[in-house]
Amino acid sequence: MPSATANYRTLLRTSGAAAFFLPAAVGRLGIAMTGIGIVWLVHARTGSYAAAGLVTGGFAVADAVAGPQIGRLTDRFGQARVLPCALAAHAGAVALLLTGATADLLAGVLVGATLPQLSALSAARWSALLSGERAAALPTAFALEALANGVSYLAGPALVSVLGAAGRPGAGVLLAAALVVGGGLALAAQRRTMPPLTGRAERRHAGRALLRSAFLRQVGLGLALGVFFGAMQVSVAAYAVGRGTPDSAALLYLAANCTNLVGGWAYGAWCHGGSPRRRQAAAAAGLTLASLPLTFLDAPLAVGATLALTGLAVPVLLILTSVLTDSSVPRAVLTQAFTWGNSASAAGSAGAAAVAGRVVDTGGAHGGFGVAAGAAAVMTVLAFGGLRDSSPPVQPKSSAPAEPTAPNPPTTDRASGRNPG
């Protein structure tokens, strides 16, 4: 255990790493608070959950659509120029929402469209910092990113809900915006670890990589993973309510979320050599096998244990999707590539919530769990299809200047795509 934790400590001691990771983590906490904060605010203002859901849906769709475009601008002009502009626009959009100066739906769309893609920006910095001989540490870095996201989405909604329940729904949205803007500005100030810019001709050539099967497969996996998340959220709630114990939903979510964090931490700490494509296929198959019993299990203890098993596989898939995205596109479009993956996951989650809701209405919670298991099966098919893809990246990532070394797992061959993971 101490030696495994030391891998993370060593990674954060890499020159410049903590200086950009920590502000990005603070900003991501704010991002995790924003959606549920809008729900509390609009419901308090209108008294309607339908209105709150509509505004939150507009926020999510705008975030998914605008995210890759912000990533594209970032690859072209750099984080130091694009991020402050996005943050200023985001602050203005949040001000419109809080003051009610414009329609709630329009304000929600503007908040989503200007939300900075801090996870993609941080991942791109890790890729630049750990290039060349230090690329073996990338899975550990992406595991750290997954842990930051997991903690954010555990703590953020709970904090906003406390403020909302205390009768201060606006405070939750304001606090979220303060964390996003503050963390984003601190990240933008860290210029030394920003990925280097590329020329116009290189970007034009690199853009073709976004249409290659190796990258599109990772986007498809992200979409299916989003469907899995959305279906699980609806199905767990339906299962608890159907048994007459709605309070048990929180415990079931906790079981999956805790093992999610443990699985991500352990994988990043102890990952060793091997093909990331094979590991991705194994993780997807494991998630499918763990999900299938949910379509017929009834006992709460059995359902909770099965949900905990699914939580172990999810972070491994997230980490490996980042690793394979990094190895499938050149640096000139890397931020955009990461944002496409995030947007696909968000879109899948939003769409699955509606589809699973209809299935649950007709077939009960087991039907909703069937949607999640189906999404896991799609991930398995996509991941096994990737085993035939042995193409190298369109353009090798350039090496960064020598810095103190990060964790020292076995070396990797970036050109062949055989990263540890």
Side-chain angles (χ1 to χ4, degrees):
M1 184 78 70
S3 62
T5 305
N7 277 349
Y8 288 110
R9 289 200 303 267
T10 305
L11 180 68
L12 288 173
R13 289 195 189 107
T14 303
S15 181
F20 76 77
F21 171 75
L22 295 178
V26 169
R28 274 182 292 204
L29 177 60
I31 290 173
M33 297 167 62
T34 303
I36 189 65
I38 292 175
V39 172
W40 278 98
L41 178 63
V42 176
H43 177 262
R45 185 176 290 168
T46 65
S48 169
Y49 280 111
L54 180 62
V55 175
T56 307
F59 157 82
V61 170
D63 179 28
V65 171
Q69 311 314 315
I70 295 177
R72 181 168 172 264
L73 291 173
T74 303
D75 283 328
R76 179 175 181 181
F77 297 108
Q79 295 187 15
R81 295 175 65 183
V82 174
L83 186 52
C85 294
L87 292 170
H90 183 69
V94 171
L96 290 176
L97 179 64
L98 287 173
T99 60
T102 187
D104 286 342
L105 179 57
L106 176 60
V109 168
L110 291 174
V111 170
T114 56
L115 197 67
Q117 305 298 308
L118 297 181
S119 61
L121 301 183
S122 184
R125 289 186 183 233
W126 281 121
S127 181
L129 187 66
L130 301 177
S131 59
E133 294 181 355
R134 294 178 294 180
L138 264 179
T140 303
F142 290 144
L144 194 61
E145 292 287 306
L147 285 171
N149 282 333
V151 171
S152 295
Y153 281 93
L154 272 178
L159 180 57
V160 170
S161 297
V162 168
L163 292 172
R168 304 184 66 183
V173 174
L174 183 61
L175 177 59
L179 292 173
V180 170
V181 174
L185 288 175
L187 177 63
Q190 301 300 317
R191 293 174 175 263
R192 186 165 61 88
T193 52
M194 286 191 303
L197 296 180
T198 56
R200 180 181 301 178
E202 187 177 355
R203 288 195 305 272
R204 187 183 302 114
H205 175 74
R208 300 172 189 170
L210 298 177
L211 301 177
R212 297 181 65 187
S213 62
F215 171 68
L216 292 176
R217 185 174 293 108
Q218 300 311 312
V219 174
L221 277 157
L223 179 66
L225 194 56
V227 172
F228 179 86
F229 287 143
M232 276 294 187
Q233 289 175 350
V234 173
S235 302
V236 168
Y239 169 80
V241 171
R243 291 187 60 84
T245 56
D247 292 343
S248 66
L251 295 176
L252 294 174
Y253 287 131
L254 184 64
N257 288 333
C258 286
T259 54
N260 189 304
L261 293 175
V262 171
W265 174 84
Y267 184 81
W270 281 302
C271 61
H272 298 290
S275 166
R277 292 188 179 96
R278 291 177 182 173
R279 288 176 178 247
Q280 187 180 63
L287 182 62
T288 302
L289 292 176
S291 302
L292 286 174
L294 293 172
T295 62
F296 57 83
L297 289 175
D298 284 318
L301 186 59
V303 170
T306 305
L307 286 171
L309 286 177
T310 66
L312 290 174
V314 166
V316 178
L317 285 168
L318 288 171
I319 295 165
L320 290 171
T321 297
S322 294
V323 169
L324 290 170
T325 295
D326 175 79
S327 67
S328 64
V329 300
R331 190 175 303 285
V333 292
L334 187 57
T335 307
Q336 186 181 356
F338 282 131
T339 55
W340 271 117
N342 294 341
S343 293
S345 181
S349 181
V355 172
R358 289 181 177 272
V359 173
V360 166
D361 285 341
T362 58
H366 288 150
F369 285 129
V371 174
V378 170
M379 282 184 267
T380 302
V381 171
L382 289 171
F384 273 92
L387 295 179
R388 298 191 301 270
D389 186 0
S390 59
S391 59
V394 178
Q395 174 183 323
K397 308 292 192 294
S398 59
S399 297
E403 299 287 357
T405 56
N408 191 31
T411 57
T412 183
D413 182 357
R414 289 288 289 274
S416 68
R418 292 192 294 273
N419 297 309

